[in-house]
Amino acid sequence: MGAQVAAAEALPSPGQYGFDWLKPETTRCVAIKPALIARFKHCSPADVSKAFGLDFPGRACRVSPQSEYMVYATRKQCQEALETMQANAP
């Protein structure tokens, strides 16, 4: 039961925002809804200060080997992270 509680705590809440960072050319920030949360296989805290140089927390949620969402508390945080990632793309 402890593992189930830990897994549930790791999932984002509906109403947060995220983008699929493995598809940077076509992605945009979307509202995280229960249907998308149900597709998440695993979520873990993401150190966005190292990844994108930002000062707010994020969460990485894996859907498949080709899809992983970066999830943030607000649309503004999501948009800032997305733009920073796209600006630093090779």
Side-chain angles (χ1 to χ4, degrees):
M1 184 163 140
Q4 290 174 335
V5 171
E9 289 174 353
L11 293 174
S13 301
Q16 294 181 327
Y17 291 84
F19 61 88
D20 190 338
W21 77 279
L22 297 180
K23 300 174 184 166
E25 303 84 21
T26 60
T27 197
R28 61 184 177 82
C29 289
V30 297
I32 303 299
K33 297 182 179 181
L36 180 56
I37 294 170
R39 294 177 48 214
F40 293 156
K41 306 284 188 231
H42 172 75
C43 293
S44 60
D47 189 349
V48 295
S49 63
K50 288 182 183 174
F52 303 136
L54 303 172
D55 291 331
F56 46 81
R59 185 171 305 283
C61 295
R62 175 74 61 175
V63 175
S64 72
Q66 297 81 28
S67 180
E68 184 172 57
Y69 280 75
M70 296 297 293
V71 179
Y72 302 94
T74 68
R75 180 186 297 270
K76 181 179 178 184
Q77 290 175 346
C78 180
Q79 191 63 39
E80 184 176 345
L82 175 60
E83 289 173 6
T84 300
M85 182 194 71
Q86 289 173 332
N88 292 301

